[in-house]
Amino acid sequence: AQSVAQPEDQVNVAEGNPLTVKCTYSVSGNPYLFWYVQYPNRGLQFLLKYITGDNLVKGSYGFEAEFNKSQTSFHLKKPSALVSDSALYFCAVRDHQAGTALIFGKGTTLSVSS
Amino acid sequence: SQTIHQWPATLVQPVGSPLSLECTVEGTSNPNLYWYRQAAGRGLQLLFYSVGIGQISSEVPQNLSASRPQDRQFILSSKKLLLSDSGFYLCAWSGLGNYGYTFGSGTRLTVV
């Protein structure tokens, strides 16, 4: 079965510093990987995805992620964090069996302090 | 353009009462549809998915059921709610060959 792991419940960074939110995956076949962000009591907003091609994927709001096949990782990064980036971040993998549903990690709360 | 509507936004229901949450998609045909639940602001659990009218697959045994009476309509139901059914419910859709997934704005269900 496909799965993703987000090893950190919370990540704290100071505004202006780089941030990394970690994600590792376990899939059979080619991984289709996604990052979403959720603000309180809101739906999920798409940030970026990796399907194929360049290992460095650029997405919305200045975020990027690097696909690393040997380490089975897809970490989310941003060079300079903003207070407004504070939210809950989800990594997800597409399940090729379950109607192509997304299978999510447990989420990582990002807190950016001013 | 494609949009997804989910309602109601919030719902407070007594234990033992029935439930019906509705999700509709516009601007596409034959979407894959999904229901997720998020408990206590954490991980998203896939509850049901549907690849066509009348085709429902359940990922976890529970007190809930789903139906797809029309191509772009997905309904989450319960005959008798439990306290443990409280949570944030999200509907989503994806298109055939489309690697994008769009989520509704969610329903906050509180069972009291």
Side-chain angles (χ1 to χ4, degrees), chain A residues 83-100:
Chain A
V83 172
S84 58
D85 292 329
S86 299
L88 183 57
Y89 289 80
F90 289 100
C91 181
V93 64
R94 176 173 165 169
D95 189 328
H96 300 301
Q97 300 298 320
T100 68

Side-chain angles (χ1 to χ4, degrees), chain B residues 20-37:
Chain B
S20 181
L21 302 181
E22 189 163 343
C23 173
T24 59
V25 180
E26 296 179 356
T28 188
S29 59
N30 197 31
N32 285 357
L33 296 171
Y34 314 94
W35 277 111
Y36 289 88
R37 178 170 60 198

Side-chain angles (χ1 to χ4, degrees), chain A residues 9 32 34 36 38 41-44 49 51 88 90 94 97-107 109, chain B residues 32 34 36 38 41-44 46 49 51 59 88 90 94 97-106 108:
Chain A
D9 285 343
Y32 295 173
F34 301 76
Y36 284 82
Q38 185 183 34
N41 293 312
R42 301 290 296 276
L44 270 64
K49 67 187 177 199
I51 304 300
L88 183 57
F90 289 100
R94 176 173 165 169
Q97 300 298 320
T100 68
L102 289 180
I103 305 303
F104 287 88
K106 64 179 181 179
T109 299
Chain B
N32 285 357
Y34 314 94
Y36 289 88
Q38 184 179 29
R42 297 308 302 185
L44 287 151
L46 177 65
Y49 67 89
V51 298
E59 287 296 291
F88 191 55
L90 286 163
S94 69
N98 180 346
Y99 301 119
Y101 297 79
T102 303
F103 286 80
S105 53
R108 171 72 59 191

Side-chain angles (χ1 to χ4, degrees), chain B residues 8-25:
Chain B
T10 60
L11 191 60
V12 180
Q13 291 285 97
V15 169
S17 64
L19 172 73
S20 181
L21 302 181
E22 189 163 343
C23 173
T24 59
V25 180

Side-chain angles (χ1 to χ4, degrees), chain A residues 10-45:
Chain A
Q10 179 144 350
V11 171
N12 299 309
V13 298
E15 188 173 32
N17 284 359
L19 70 88
T20 299
V21 183
K22 296 180 180 178
C23 173
T24 58
Y25 64 89
S26 174
V27 303
S28 56
N30 294 324
Y32 295 173
L33 298 160
F34 301 76
W35 276 102
Y36 284 82
V37 61
Q38 185 183 34
Y39 296 96
N41 293 312
R42 301 290 296 276
L44 270 64
Q45 296 180 30

Side-chain angles (χ1 to χ4, degrees), chain A residues 48-63:
Chain A
L48 50 81
K49 67 187 177 199
Y50 173 82
I51 304 300
T52 186
D54 194 348
N55 289 345
L56 183 63
V57 180
K58 293 188 182 296
S60 306
Y61 313 118
F63 284 94

